[in-house]
Amino acid sequence: EPEVTQTPSHQVTQMGQEVILRCVPISNHLYFYWYRQILGQKVEFLVSFYNNEISEKSEIFDDQFSVERPDGSNFTLKIRSTKLEDSAMYFCASSDVGMNTEAFFGQGTRLTVV
Amino acid sequence: DAKTTQPPSMDCAEGRAANLPCNHSTISGNEYVYWYRQIHSQGPQYIIHGLKNNETNEMASLIITEDRKSSTLILPHATLRDTAVYYCIVRALSGNTGKLIFGQGTTLQVKP
């Protein structure tokens, strides 16, 4: 069964460093998403991406965040200068075209900022 | 996006049916009801979705009331591996986004 894959599974970084989280969405999907979940809290929407551009972003997704689809398979989330409060699980998801479709999630990257 | 209300927690005996309720009284006509679950901080897992008819797949059944203001997710024979947080989400597709807005969900504990 096709799945969304994310790497790395765990990333530790120093405050102020840049990190790139990587995702390989399901191959025929056209919509891509990033979500995050701070420990003990709910899953929060960050950004959606379609047709090589951001289609919607939340207020969490400020200028420190960016997304890119550098080639035909990868979808990345970059955090330019990490803060302690960026520590969270980051989930990538993808979905097919149309309203009546489900989004599939990866297993997440645990980001720890020290 | 329409808001959903779910009980914070429920217990279920292993082998019995688990019935998880969800209220979505402000749902719009073009909004679908989606159910996801999250097992111990893993990525959310899609379970089922529907618009107005009842739906069944290999994982669960979804019963939506005629007025669409509430729904019930049914796991027919719960196992210990079904212990998870279950999210009922009303999915509005504004433009091309299709984002999911997660609430706190219902923590289902399946007990032996």
Side-chain angles (χ1 to χ4, degrees), chain A residues 18-99:
Chain A
E18 173 184 286
V19 293
I20 298 176
L21 309 183
R22 303 181 191 280
C23 169
V24 179
I26 293 172
S27 62
N28 62 336
H29 285 181
L30 297 178
Y31 294 88
F32 313 114
Y33 311 87
W34 283 101
Y35 292 79
R36 79 169 186 192
Q37 186 175 32
I38 295 170
L39 186 64
Q41 298 186 23
K42 60 185 181 181
V43 178
E44 300 174 288
F45 167 77
L46 290 179
V47 66
S48 58
F49 191 87
Y50 170 74
N51 200 24
N52 285 319
E53 61 182 18
I54 290 174
S55 49
E56 187 172 357
K57 59 184 180 179
S58 72
E59 58 189 24
I60 302 169
F61 194 90
D62 61 22
D63 292 343
Q64 293 299 312
F65 292 89
S66 62
V67 289
E68 194 178 30
R69 189 154 162 81
D71 52 41
S73 59
N74 291 286
F75 180 52
T76 62
L77 174 70
K78 182 193 291 187
I79 308 175
R80 254 179 278 281
S81 178
T82 50
K83 309 183 192 69
L84 294 176
E85 55 264 37
D86 293 326
S87 295
M89 285 289 290
Y90 288 81
F91 297 109
C92 173
S94 69
S95 69
D96 204 344
V97 180
M99 289 185 66

Side-chain angles (χ1 to χ4, degrees), chain B residues 43-102:
Chain B
Q45 179 188 22
Y46 166 79
I47 301 173
I48 198 167
H49 72 283
L51 183 63
K52 53 184 177 181
N53 297 320
N54 297 338
E55 302 287 345
T56 296
N57 63 20
E58 65 278 4
M59 287 184 70
S61 295
L62 174 60
I63 308 298
I64 302 175
T65 57
E66 194 169 339
D67 63 8
R68 302 209 323 125
K69 292 185 176 181
S70 65
S71 60
T72 301
L73 178 75
I74 301 172
L75 307 178
H77 305 287
T79 71
L80 298 178
R81 287 176 295 181
D82 292 321
T83 292
V85 181
Y86 287 78
Y87 300 100
C88 168
I89 300 168
V90 172
R91 189 180 189 194
L93 293 180
S94 54
N96 292 323
T97 65
K99 68 182 180 187
L100 294 163
I101 304 297
F102 289 81

